[in-house]
Amino acid sequence: MVFRLRYYKDPCLREKCQPVKIINQEVKAFAKELIDTMIAYNGVGLAAPQVGSNQRIFIGALADDEEGEALVTAPKVYINPKITFYSKETVVMEEGCMSYPGLYLEIRRPAFIDIEAYDEDGKFFRLENVGGWFSRNLQHEYDHLDGVLTIDYLGQSKRKNVQAHLDQIDRKYNCPSSVITQPSEVNKYFT
Ligand SMILES: [Zn+2]
């Protein structure tokens, strides 16, 4: 099943998600549907709040090739993730978000992280010193679980500049007559 995506201004994008208590078949099935939705919309990452769920679950599907270019990889499930280390070194990279299609923003974030989480079978894993697009993808999705969006990182004037685009998204996707959108309508996004 493919979930309906939630867009900018939908209150569920601003909720702090709750930890998953037990990783059971239901959770596993939800993670699978989250992956199906991400693929249907050409995304390379998707977090539970983006489909209206407040569970601490996201999908990551981006890595780096040998030249440091973004590389789409097999989707990986992160349940109850914790970023346990952020490097002091930071880097600016361009991010998109499936919750406001078409808006790409340069965001500064730590260059490297350590992250731990559980997979859809309840198996614990830990990734250390993750950099590049891989790291960027995970940090972006992780933010979603705390109700944080890339637009929150913008200074006042930049934030003002993107408001018209955001209002357009709101009008297009959140008005009652257009809540059901077709994947084909949506451009290719980054996350
Ligand atoms: Zn996003």
Side-chain angles (χ1 to χ4, degrees):
M1 195 189 92
V2 171
F3 293 116
R4 174 167 75 84
L5 286 183
R6 304 305 182 96
Y7 294 93
Y8 166 74
K9 261 204 179 166
D10 191 313
C12 66
L13 293 173
R14 292 307 196 173
E15 270 181 44
K16 193 165 165 59
C17 295
Q18 299 303 310
V20 175
K21 289 202 179 96
I22 304 164
I23 301 171
N24 54 21
Q25 285 307 311
E26 202 181 319
V27 171
K28 190 172 177 168
F30 172 80
K32 165 83 171 58
E33 289 176 333
L34 202 54
I35 290 172
D36 290 347
T37 306
M38 184 194 81
I39 291 169
Y41 285 87
N42 288 319
V44 293
L46 189 62
Q50 294 180 281
V51 299
S53 162
N54 77 334
Q55 305 181 82
R56 296 191 76 82
I57 302 176
F58 71 72
I59 310 299
L62 204 63
D64 303 76
D65 70 11
E66 283 166 12
E67 272 90 51
E69 298 294 328
L71 184 73
V72 179
T73 59
K76 187 169 172 62
V77 178
Y78 296 75
I79 299 173
N80 296 343
K82 260 190 200 142
I83 295 182
T84 56
F85 167 77
Y86 290 97
S87 68
K88 284 206 180 95
E89 183 193 343
T90 58
V91 61
V92 174
M93 294 172 98
E94 198 173 62
E95 297 179 31
C97 183
M98 289 171 82
S99 298
Y100 30 97
L103 189 62
Y104 296 88
L105 300 169
E106 296 207 319
I107 308 290
R108 181 177 291 280
R109 293 186 191 267
F112 299 95
I113 58 164
D114 291 351
I115 187 169
E116 52 190 47
Y118 294 85
D119 71 11
E120 66 274 33
D121 294 313
K123 195 167 171 249
F124 178 83
F125 63 92
R126 182 176 164 78
L127 303 169
E128 290 179 355
N129 216 29
V130 180
W133 291 104
F134 187 10
S135 172
R136 184 52 63 124
N137 185 228
L138 299 181
Q139 292 185 62
H140 177 109
E141 300 308 335
Y142 188 84
D143 265 359
H144 273 300
L145 304 185
D146 290 323
V148 175
L149 302 171
T150 54
I151 49 174
D152 302 340
Y153 290 94
L154 301 178
Q156 229 176 2
S157 71
K158 270 197 186 162
R159 179 70 180 75
K160 253 188 181 169
N161 289 342
V162 302
Q163 192 56 47
H165 184 109
L166 294 170
D167 290 342
Q168 229 174 17
I169 299 285
D170 182 33
R171 279 196 301 274
K172 182 169 180 188
Y173 296 107
N174 293 331
C175 70
S177 63
S178 68
V179 285
I180 299 164
T181 59
Q182 297 301 315
S184 58
E185 271 186 33
V186 187
N187 295 327
K188 197 172 182 234
Y189 325 108
F190 167 42
T191 48

